[in-house]
mmCIF file of all heavy atoms in Angstrom:
data_model
loop_
_atom_site.group_PDB
_atom_site.id
_atom_site.type_symbol
_atom_site.label_atom_id
_atom_site.label_comp_id
_atom_site.label_asym_id
_atom_site.label_seq_id
_atom_site.Cartn_x
_atom_site.Cartn_y
_atom_site.Cartn_z
ATOM 1 N N VAL W 59 147.247 -81.368 -57.235
ATOM 2 C CA VAL W 59 146.818 -82.694 -57.672
ATOM 3 C C VAL W 59 147.916 -83.343 -58.503
ATOM 4 O O VAL W 59 148.877 -82.682 -58.931
ATOM 5 C CB VAL W 59 145.506 -82.617 -58.498
ATOM 6 C CG1 VAL W 59 144.364 -82.087 -57.644
ATOM 7 C CG2 VAL W 59 145.694 -81.730 -59.725
ATOM 8 N N SER W 60 147.779 -84.626 -58.730
ATOM 9 C CA SER W 60 148.800 -85.367 -59.469
ATOM 10 C C SER W 60 148.769 -85.028 -60.955
ATOM 11 O O SER W 60 147.791 -84.481 -61.470
ATOM 12 C CB SER W 60 148.580 -86.867 -59.290
ATOM 13 O OG SER W 60 147.378 -87.276 -59.920
ATOM 14 N N GLY W 61 149.840 -85.398 -61.638
ATOM 15 C CA GLY W 61 149.917 -85.168 -63.073
ATOM 16 C C GLY W 61 148.844 -85.916 -63.835
ATOM 17 O O GLY W 61 148.327 -85.418 -64.850
ATOM 18 N N ASP W 62 148.486 -87.117 -63.363
ATOM 19 C CA ASP W 62 147.437 -87.890 -64.029
ATOM 20 C C ASP W 62 146.093 -87.175 -63.942
ATOM 21 O O ASP W 62 145.327 -87.149 -64.911
ATOM 22 C CB ASP W 62 147.318 -89.276 -63.397
ATOM 23 C CG ASP W 62 148.512 -90.172 -63.719
ATOM 24 O OD1 ASP W 62 149.206 -89.876 -64.713
ATOM 25 O OD2 ASP W 62 148.748 -91.142 -62.970
ATOM 26 N N VAL W 63 145.822 -86.585 -62.772
ATOM 27 C CA VAL W 63 144.562 -85.857 -62.603
ATOM 28 C C VAL W 63 144.548 -84.622 -63.501
ATOM 29 O O VAL W 63 143.532 -84.307 -64.131
ATOM 30 C CB VAL W 63 144.359 -85.457 -61.131
ATOM 31 C CG1 VAL W 63 143.154 -84.531 -60.988
ATOM 32 C CG2 VAL W 63 144.179 -86.696 -60.262
ATOM 33 N N VAL W 64 145.680 -83.919 -63.563
ATOM 34 C CA VAL W 64 145.777 -82.737 -64.434
ATOM 35 C C VAL W 64 145.541 -83.129 -65.883
ATOM 36 O O VAL W 64 144.818 -82.444 -66.620
ATOM 37 C CB VAL W 64 147.150 -82.066 -64.284
ATOM 38 C CG1 VAL W 64 147.342 -80.984 -65.353
ATOM 39 C CG2 VAL W 64 147.301 -81.449 -62.898
ATOM 40 N N SER W 65 146.120 -84.250 -66.292
ATOM 41 C CA SER W 65 145.958 -84.708 -67.677
ATOM 42 C C SER W 65 144.499 -85.053 -67.977
ATOM 43 O O SER W 65 143.960 -84.670 -69.023
ATOM 44 C CB SER W 65 146.843 -85.928 -67.918
ATOM 45 O OG SER W 65 146.692 -86.410 -69.242
ATOM 46 N N LEU W 66 143.852 -85.760 -67.045
ATOM 47 C CA LEU W 66 142.442 -86.112 -67.241
ATOM 48 C C LEU W 66 141.557 -84.864 -67.275
ATOM 49 O O LEU W 66 140.663 -84.748 -68.114
ATOM 50 C CB LEU W 66 141.983 -87.051 -66.128
ATOM 51 C CG LEU W 66 142.495 -88.496 -66.175
ATOM 52 C CD1 LEU W 66 142.102 -89.234 -64.903
ATOM 53 C CD2 LEU W 66 141.956 -89.219 -67.409
ATOM 54 N N ALA W 67 141.820 -83.947 -66.348
ATOM 55 C CA ALA W 67 141.027 -82.717 -66.284
ATOM 56 C C ALA W 67 141.193 -81.893 -67.557
ATOM 57 O O ALA W 67 140.215 -81.365 -68.105
ATOM 58 C CB ALA W 67 141.421 -81.900 -65.060
ATOM 59 N N THR W 68 142.435 -81.790 -68.030
ATOM 60 C CA THR W 68 142.702 -81.005 -69.234
ATOM 61 C C THR W 68 142.032 -81.625 -70.449
ATOM 62 O O THR W 68 141.419 -80.927 -71.262
ATOM 63 C CB THR W 68 144.220 -80.904 -69.482
ATOM 64 O OG1 THR W 68 144.859 -80.352 -68.331
ATOM 65 C CG2 THR W 68 144.512 -80.019 -70.693
ATOM 66 N N GLY W 69 142.146 -82.956 -70.560
ATOM 67 C CA GLY W 69 141.535 -83.638 -71.697
ATOM 68 C C GLY W 69 140.032 -83.456 -71.732
ATOM 69 O O GLY W 69 139.442 -83.224 -72.792
ATOM 70 N N TRP W 70 139.396 -83.554 -70.565
ATOM 71 C CA TRP W 70 137.938 -83.371 -70.507
ATOM 72 C C TRP W 70 137.561 -81.923 -70.782
ATOM 73 O O TRP W 70 136.635 -81.646 -71.554
ATOM 74 C CB TRP W 70 137.407 -83.789 -69.140
ATOM 75 C CG TRP W 70 135.931 -83.516 -69.016
ATOM 76 C CD1 TRP W 70 135.340 -82.396 -68.497
ATOM 77 C CD2 TRP W 70 134.871 -84.359 -69.459
ATOM 78 N NE1 TRP W 70 133.976 -82.499 -68.578
ATOM 79 C CE2 TRP W 70 133.657 -83.689 -69.167
ATOM 80 C CE3 TRP W 70 134.832 -85.622 -70.058
ATOM 81 C CZ2 TRP W 70 132.417 -84.240 -69.472
ATOM 82 C CZ3 TRP W 70 133.589 -86.167 -70.368
ATOM 83 C CH2 TRP W 70 132.403 -85.474 -70.068
ATOM 84 N N HIS W 71 138.261 -80.995 -70.147
ATOM 85 C CA HIS W 71 137.905 -79.579 -70.252
ATOM 86 C C HIS W 71 138.026 -79.071 -71.682
ATOM 87 O O HIS W 71 137.168 -78.301 -72.143
ATOM 88 C CB HIS W 71 138.814 -78.758 -69.331
ATOM 89 C CG HIS W 71 138.409 -77.328 -69.206
ATOM 90 N ND1 HIS W 71 137.410 -76.901 -68.365
ATOM 91 C CD2 HIS W 71 138.866 -76.199 -69.829
ATOM 92 C CE1 HIS W 71 137.258 -75.597 -68.465
ATOM 93 N NE2 HIS W 71 138.129 -75.141 -69.353
ATOM 94 N N GLU W 72 139.069 -79.488 -72.371
ATOM 95 C CA GLU W 72 139.310 -78.985 -73.723
ATOM 96 C C GLU W 72 138.617 -79.819 -74.794
ATOM 97 O O GLU W 72 138.558 -79.402 -75.950
ATOM 98 C CB GLU W 72 140.813 -78.937 -74.002
ATOM 99 C CG GLU W 72 141.562 -77.959 -73.103
ATOM 100 C CD GLU W 72 143.044 -77.920 -73.399
ATOM 101 O OE1 GLU W 72 143.515 -78.804 -74.163
ATOM 102 O OE2 GLU W 72 143.738 -77.024 -72.872
ATOM 103 N N GLY W 73 138.108 -81.002 -74.409
ATOM 104 C CA GLY W 73 137.478 -81.884 -75.383
ATOM 105 C C GLY W 73 135.998 -82.062 -75.151
ATOM 106 O O GLY W 73 135.188 -81.181 -75.473
ATOM 107 N N PRO W 74 135.600 -83.226 -74.598
ATOM 108 C CA PRO W 74 134.167 -83.519 -74.413
ATOM 109 C C PRO W 74 133.431 -82.468 -73.589
ATOM 110 O O PRO W 74 132.286 -82.134 -73.894
ATOM 111 C CB PRO W 74 134.180 -84.875 -73.691
ATOM 112 C CG PRO W 74 135.494 -85.479 -74.019
ATOM 113 C CD PRO W 74 136.452 -84.344 -74.133
ATOM 114 N N GLY W 75 134.079 -81.961 -72.527
ATOM 115 C CA GLY W 75 133.407 -80.989 -71.666
ATOM 116 C C GLY W 75 132.959 -79.759 -72.423
ATOM 117 O O GLY W 75 131.809 -79.306 -72.290
ATOM 118 N N LYS W 76 133.861 -79.217 -73.225
ATOM 119 C CA LYS W 76 133.534 -78.012 -74.000
ATOM 120 C C LYS W 76 132.394 -78.286 -74.975
ATOM 121 O O LYS W 76 131.458 -77.480 -75.109
ATOM 122 C CB LYS W 76 134.772 -77.530 -74.749
ATOM 123 C CG LYS W 76 134.547 -76.301 -75.606
ATOM 124 C CD LYS W 76 135.859 -75.763 -76.160
ATOM 125 C CE LYS W 76 136.520 -76.748 -77.090
ATOM 126 N NZ LYS W 76 137.774 -76.192 -77.671
ATOM 127 N N THR W 77 132.448 -79.449 -75.640
ATOM 128 C CA THR W 77 131.412 -79.807 -76.611
ATOM 129 C C THR W 77 130.056 -79.970 -75.923
ATOM 130 O O THR W 77 129.028 -79.504 -76.431
ATOM 131 C CB THR W 77 131.788 -81.111 -77.331
ATOM 132 O OG1 THR W 77 133.053 -80.944 -77.984
ATOM 133 C CG2 THR W 77 130.730 -81.483 -78.355
ATOM 134 N N ILE W 78 130.053 -80.622 -74.760
ATOM 135 C CA ILE W 78 128.797 -80.853 -74.044
ATOM 136 C C ILE W 78 128.197 -79.540 -73.561
ATOM 137 O O ILE W 78 126.977 -79.340 -73.615
ATOM 138 C CB ILE W 78 129.024 -81.817 -72.861
ATOM 139 C CG1 ILE W 78 129.357 -83.213 -73.384
ATOM 140 C CG2 ILE W 78 127.794 -81.878 -71.962
ATOM 141 C CD1 ILE W 78 129.743 -84.192 -72.304
ATOM 142 N N VAL W 79 129.033 -78.628 -73.076
ATOM 143 C CA VAL W 79 128.536 -77.323 -72.628
ATOM 144 C C VAL W 79 127.852 -76.594 -73.775
ATOM 145 O O VAL W 79 126.731 -76.095 -73.639
ATOM 146 C CB VAL W 79 129.678 -76.468 -72.052
ATOM 147 C CG1 VAL W 79 129.216 -75.011 -71.888
ATOM 148 C CG2 VAL W 79 130.135 -77.007 -70.708
ATOM 149 N N ILE W 80 128.528 -76.535 -74.919
ATOM 150 C CA ILE W 80 127.955 -75.838 -76.073
ATOM 151 C C ILE W 80 126.653 -76.506 -76.511
ATOM 152 O O ILE W 80 125.641 -75.829 -76.772
ATOM 153 C CB ILE W 80 128.962 -75.816 -77.241
ATOM 154 C CG1 ILE W 80 130.193 -74.975 -76.862
ATOM 155 C CG2 ILE W 80 128.313 -75.259 -78.500
ATOM 156 C CD1 ILE W 80 131.303 -75.008 -77.885
ATOM 157 N N ALA W 81 126.655 -77.851 -76.553
ATOM 158 C CA ALA W 81 125.456 -78.579 -76.992
ATOM 159 C C ALA W 81 124.310 -78.412 -76.006
ATOM 160 O O ALA W 81 123.160 -78.174 -76.411
ATOM 161 C CB ALA W 81 125.794 -80.059 -77.168
ATOM 162 N N LEU W 82 124.611 -78.523 -74.716
ATOM 163 C CA LEU W 82 123.549 -78.455 -73.709
ATOM 164 C C LEU W 82 122.958 -77.055 -73.616
ATOM 165 O O LEU W 82 121.733 -76.893 -73.506
ATOM 166 C CB LEU W 82 124.092 -78.891 -72.355
ATOM 167 C CG LEU W 82 123.062 -79.248 -71.278
ATOM 168 C CD1 LEU W 82 122.129 -80.335 -71.785
ATOM 169 C CD2 LEU W 82 123.760 -79.718 -70.013
ATOM 170 N N VAL W 83 123.802 -76.042 -73.667
ATOM 171 C CA VAL W 83 123.306 -74.671 -73.628
ATOM 172 C C VAL W 83 122.466 -74.380 -74.875
ATOM 173 O O VAL W 83 121.409 -73.739 -74.796
ATOM 174 C CB VAL W 83 124.476 -73.675 -73.503
ATOM 175 C CG1 VAL W 83 123.981 -72.241 -73.691
ATOM 176 C CG2 VAL W 83 125.159 -73.813 -72.146
ATOM 177 N N SER W 84 122.924 -74.869 -76.025
ATOM 178 C CA SER W 84 122.154 -74.681 -77.263
ATOM 179 C C SER W 84 120.806 -75.370 -77.171
ATOM 180 O O SER W 84 119.776 -74.815 -77.583
ATOM 181 C CB SER W 84 122.944 -75.228 -78.460
ATOM 182 O OG SER W 84 124.182 -74.567 -78.609
ATOM 183 N N LEU W 85 120.793 -76.585 -76.611
ATOM 184 C CA LEU W 85 119.539 -77.322 -76.442
ATOM 185 C C LEU W 85 118.605 -76.591 -75.487
ATOM 186 O O LEU W 85 117.388 -76.544 -75.712
ATOM 187 C CB LEU W 85 119.841 -78.727 -75.915
ATOM 188 C CG LEU W 85 118.635 -79.659 -75.720
ATOM 189 C CD1 LEU W 85 117.938 -79.908 -77.056
ATOM 190 C CD2 LEU W 85 119.087 -80.980 -75.105
ATOM 191 N N HIS W 86 119.177 -76.006 -74.442
ATOM 192 C CA HIS W 86 118.380 -75.246 -73.473
ATOM 193 C C HIS W 86 117.704 -74.055 -74.160
ATOM 194 O O HIS W 86 116.509 -73.797 -73.951
ATOM 195 C CB HIS W 86 119.286 -74.768 -72.343
ATOM 196 C CG HIS W 86 118.559 -74.132 -71.202
ATOM 197 N ND1 HIS W 86 117.820 -74.855 -70.294
ATOM 198 C CD2 HIS W 86 118.438 -72.832 -70.825
ATOM 199 C CE1 HIS W 86 117.285 -74.031 -69.402
ATOM 200 N NE2 HIS W 86 117.650 -72.798 -69.705
ATOM 201 N N VAL W 87 118.454 -73.348 -74.994
ATOM 202 C CA VAL W 87 117.903 -72.199 -75.714
ATOM 203 C C VAL W 87 116.817 -72.647 -76.684
ATOM 204 O O VAL W 87 115.750 -72.016 -76.792
ATOM 205 C CB VAL W 87 119.023 -71.446 -76.459
ATOM 206 C CG1 VAL W 87 118.425 -70.364 -77.367
ATOM 207 C CG2 VAL W 87 119.997 -70.823 -75.475
ATOM 208 N N LEU W 88 117.063 -73.746 -77.402
ATOM 209 C CA LEU W 88 116.067 -74.257 -78.350
ATOM 210 C C LEU W 88 114.788 -74.690 -77.632
ATOM 211 O O LEU W 88 113.680 -74.486 -78.150
ATOM 212 C CB LEU W 88 116.659 -75.426 -79.136
ATOM 213 C CG LEU W 88 117.751 -75.075 -80.153
ATOM 214 C CD1 LEU W 88 118.339 -76.350 -80.768
ATOM 215 C CD2 LEU W 88 117.206 -74.164 -81.242
ATOM 216 N N ALA W 89 114.943 -75.290 -76.443
ATOM 217 C CA ALA W 89 113.765 -75.704 -75.681
ATOM 218 C C ALA W 89 112.938 -74.493 -75.264
ATOM 219 O O ALA W 89 111.699 -74.520 -75.322
ATOM 220 C CB ALA W 89 114.203 -76.498 -74.459
ATOM 221 N N VAL W 90 113.612 -73.428 -74.841
ATOM 222 C CA VAL W 90 112.905 -72.204 -74.466
ATOM 223 C C VAL W 90 112.161 -71.636 -75.672
ATOM 224 O O VAL W 90 110.986 -71.237 -75.575
ATOM 225 C CB VAL W 90 113.885 -71.163 -73.896
ATOM 226 C CG1 VAL W 90 113.198 -69.810 -73.738
ATOM 227 C CG2 VAL W 90 114.440 -71.626 -72.554
ATOM 228 N N LEU W 91 112.831 -71.604 -76.829
ATOM 229 C CA LEU W 91 112.188 -71.101 -78.043
ATOM 230 C C LEU W 91 110.981 -71.962 -78.423
ATOM 231 O O LEU W 91 109.944 -71.434 -78.864
ATOM 232 C CB LEU W 91 113.202 -71.083 -79.195
ATOM 233 C CG LEU W 91 114.327 -70.054 -79.081
ATOM 234 C CD1 LEU W 91 115.308 -70.220 -80.243
ATOM 235 C CD2 LEU W 91 113.778 -68.638 -79.058
ATOM 236 N N PHE W 92 111.087 -73.266 -78.232
ATOM 237 C CA PHE W 92 109.968 -74.167 -78.543
ATOM 238 C C PHE W 92 108.765 -73.838 -77.664
ATOM 239 O O PHE W 92 107.636 -73.736 -78.148
ATOM 240 C CB PHE W 92 110.401 -75.619 -78.333
ATOM 241 C CG PHE W 92 109.263 -76.603 -78.414
ATOM 242 C CD1 PHE W 92 108.734 -76.971 -79.643
ATOM 243 C CD2 PHE W 92 108.710 -77.152 -77.255
ATOM 244 C CE1 PHE W 92 107.670 -77.873 -79.717
ATOM 245 C CE2 PHE W 92 107.657 -78.046 -77.328
ATOM 246 C CZ PHE W 92 107.136 -78.408 -78.563
ATOM 247 N N TYR W 93 109.013 -73.670 -76.369
ATOM 248 C CA TYR W 93 107.906 -73.382 -75.450
ATOM 249 C C TYR W 93 107.305 -72.001 -75.727
ATOM 250 O O TYR W 93 106.098 -71.805 -75.585
ATOM 251 C CB TYR W 93 108.383 -73.462 -74.001
ATOM 252 C CG TYR W 93 108.306 -74.859 -73.432
ATOM 253 C CD1 TYR W 93 109.400 -75.710 -73.467
ATOM 254 C CD2 TYR W 93 107.131 -75.342 -72.874
ATOM 255 C CE1 TYR W 93 109.327 -77.002 -72.972
ATOM 256 C CE2 TYR W 93 107.036 -76.630 -72.369
ATOM 257 C CZ TYR W 93 108.145 -77.452 -72.419
ATOM 258 O OH TYR W 93 108.060 -78.734 -71.929
ATOM 259 N N VAL W 94 108.145 -71.050 -76.122
ATOM 260 C CA VAL W 94 107.651 -69.691 -76.366
ATOM 261 C C VAL W 94 106.910 -69.598 -77.703
ATOM 262 O O VAL W 94 105.806 -69.033 -77.777
ATOM 263 C CB VAL W 94 108.820 -68.688 -76.329
ATOM 264 C CG1 VAL W 94 108.355 -67.309 -76.806
ATOM 265 C CG2 VAL W 94 109.388 -68.587 -74.919
ATOM 266 N N LEU W 95 107.502 -70.153 -78.754
ATOM 267 C CA LEU W 95 106.955 -69.976 -80.095
ATOM 268 C C LEU W 95 105.895 -71.013 -80.463
ATOM 269 O O LEU W 95 104.940 -70.695 -81.184
ATOM 270 C CB LEU W 95 108.094 -70.022 -81.128
ATOM 271 C CG LEU W 95 109.176 -68.950 -80.969
ATOM 272 C CD1 LEU W 95 110.261 -69.135 -82.017
ATOM 273 C CD2 LEU W 95 108.576 -67.547 -81.069
ATOM 274 N N VAL W 96 106.065 -72.235 -79.978
ATOM 275 C CA VAL W 96 105.146 -73.306 -80.359
ATOM 276 C C VAL W 96 104.045 -73.501 -79.318
ATOM 277 O O VAL W 96 102.853 -73.497 -79.644
ATOM 278 C CB VAL W 96 105.898 -74.628 -80.599
ATOM 279 C CG1 VAL W 96 104.925 -75.749 -80.955
ATOM 280 C CG2 VAL W 96 106.939 -74.453 -81.704
ATOM 281 N N LYS W 97 104.434 -73.668 -78.062
ATOM 282 C CA LYS W 97 103.446 -73.929 -77.019
ATOM 283 C C LYS W 97 102.875 -72.648 -76.407
ATOM 284 O O LYS W 97 101.979 -72.703 -75.559
ATOM 285 C CB LYS W 97 104.069 -74.802 -75.929
ATOM 286 C CG LYS W 97 104.640 -76.122 -76.446
ATOM 287 C CD LYS W 97 104.851 -77.131 -75.352
ATOM 288 C CE LYS W 97 103.536 -77.710 -74.892
ATOM 289 N NZ LYS W 97 103.698 -78.838 -73.949
ATOM 290 N N ARG W 98 103.441 -71.496 -76.820
ATOM 291 C CA ARG W 98 102.925 -70.199 -76.379
ATOM 292 C C ARG W 98 102.992 -70.015 -74.863
ATOM 293 O O ARG W 98 102.098 -69.423 -74.260
ATOM 294 C CB ARG W 98 101.487 -69.986 -76.863
ATOM 295 C CG ARG W 98 101.333 -70.037 -78.371
ATOM 296 C CD ARG W 98 102.095 -68.916 -79.047
ATOM 297 N NE ARG W 98 101.948 -68.960 -80.500
ATOM 298 C CZ ARG W 98 102.540 -68.100 -81.338
ATOM 299 N NH1 ARG W 98 103.327 -67.165 -80.843
ATOM 300 N NH2 ARG W 98 102.371 -68.205 -82.641
ATOM 301 N N HIS W 99 104.033 -70.534 -74.254
ATOM 302 C CA HIS W 99 104.245 -70.319 -72.829
ATOM 303 C C HIS W 99 105.144 -69.102 -72.639
ATOM 304 O O HIS W 99 106.188 -68.995 -73.291
ATOM 305 C CB HIS W 99 104.914 -71.550 -72.195
ATOM 306 C CG HIS W 99 103.992 -72.717 -72.071
ATOM 307 N ND1 HIS W 99 104.373 -73.899 -71.487
ATOM 308 C CD2 HIS W 99 102.696 -72.892 -72.464
ATOM 309 C CE1 HIS W 99 103.374 -74.761 -71.519
ATOM 310 N NE2 HIS W 99 102.345 -74.166 -72.113
ATOM 311 N N ARG W 100 104.766 -68.219 -71.750
ATOM 312 C CA ARG W 100 105.580 -67.030 -71.485
ATOM 313 C C ARG W 100 106.681 -67.381 -70.485
ATOM 314 O O ARG W 100 106.447 -67.457 -69.287
ATOM 315 C CB ARG W 100 104.707 -65.908 -70.935
ATOM 316 C CG ARG W 100 103.665 -65.400 -71.926
ATOM 317 C CD ARG W 100 102.859 -64.252 -71.333
ATOM 318 N NE ARG W 100 101.915 -63.697 -72.288
ATOM 319 C CZ ARG W 100 101.120 -62.673 -72.029
ATOM 320 N NH1 ARG W 100 101.147 -62.101 -70.829
ATOM 321 N NH2 ARG W 100 100.289 -62.229 -72.950
ATOM 322 N N LEU W 101 107.877 -67.600 -71.003
ATOM 323 C CA LEU W 101 108.995 -67.990 -70.145
ATOM 324 C C LEU W 101 109.981 -66.849 -69.914
ATOM 325 O O LEU W 101 110.571 -66.753 -68.842
ATOM 326 C CB LEU W 101 109.738 -69.185 -70.768
ATOM 327 C CG LEU W 101 108.937 -70.473 -70.956
ATOM 328 C CD1 LEU W 101 109.829 -71.544 -71.567
ATOM 329 C CD2 LEU W 101 108.362 -70.949 -69.641
ATOM 330 N N VAL W 102 110.153 -66.002 -70.918
ATOM 331 C CA VAL W 102 111.179 -64.955 -70.835
ATOM 332 C C VAL W 102 110.711 -63.796 -69.969
ATOM 333 O O VAL W 102 111.444 -63.336 -69.085
ATOM 334 C CB VAL W 102 111.559 -64.455 -72.244
ATOM 335 C CG1 VAL W 102 112.581 -63.317 -72.141
ATOM 336 C CG2 VAL W 102 112.132 -65.595 -73.073
ATOM 337 N N ARG W 103 109.491 -63.328 -70.194
ATOM 338 C CA ARG W 103 109.007 -62.163 -69.452
ATOM 339 C C ARG W 103 109.013 -62.377 -67.937
ATOM 340 O O ARG W 103 109.458 -61.501 -67.189
ATOM 341 C CB ARG W 103 107.613 -61.766 -69.936
ATOM 342 C CG ARG W 103 107.077 -60.509 -69.269
ATOM 343 C CD ARG W 103 105.736 -60.104 -69.835
ATOM 344 N NE ARG W 103 105.825 -59.752 -71.237
ATOM 345 C CZ ARG W 103 104.775 -59.404 -71.984
ATOM 346 N NH1 ARG W 103 103.568 -59.393 -71.440
ATOM 347 N NH2 ARG W 103 104.932 -59.092 -73.245
#
């Protein structure tokens, strides 16, 4: 790919992309905990 594409990919991967992955995965875990602990839904088993 071109240098411009490499630059865009690198900027996203090392910046917003990494932050969004961490945030989204954390939100996913928190949602599971909410359903298990608060709504008493058995999701893990």
Side-chain angles (χ1 to χ4, degrees):
V59 297
S60 67
D62 289 339
V63 172
V64 171
S65 179
L66 287 172
T68 304
W70 176 266
H71 189 81
E72 296 180 349
K76 179 172 64 178
T77 302
I78 292 174
V79 167
I80 295 174
L82 196 56
V83 171
S84 300
L85 182 62
H86 188 74
V87 172
L88 290 175
V90 170
L91 291 176
F92 171 77
Y93 273 94
V94 171
L95 300 178
V96 178
K97 304 198 74 172
R98 301 296 180 181
H99 288 182
R100 295 182 176 182
L101 299 181
V102 177
R103 184 177 296 178

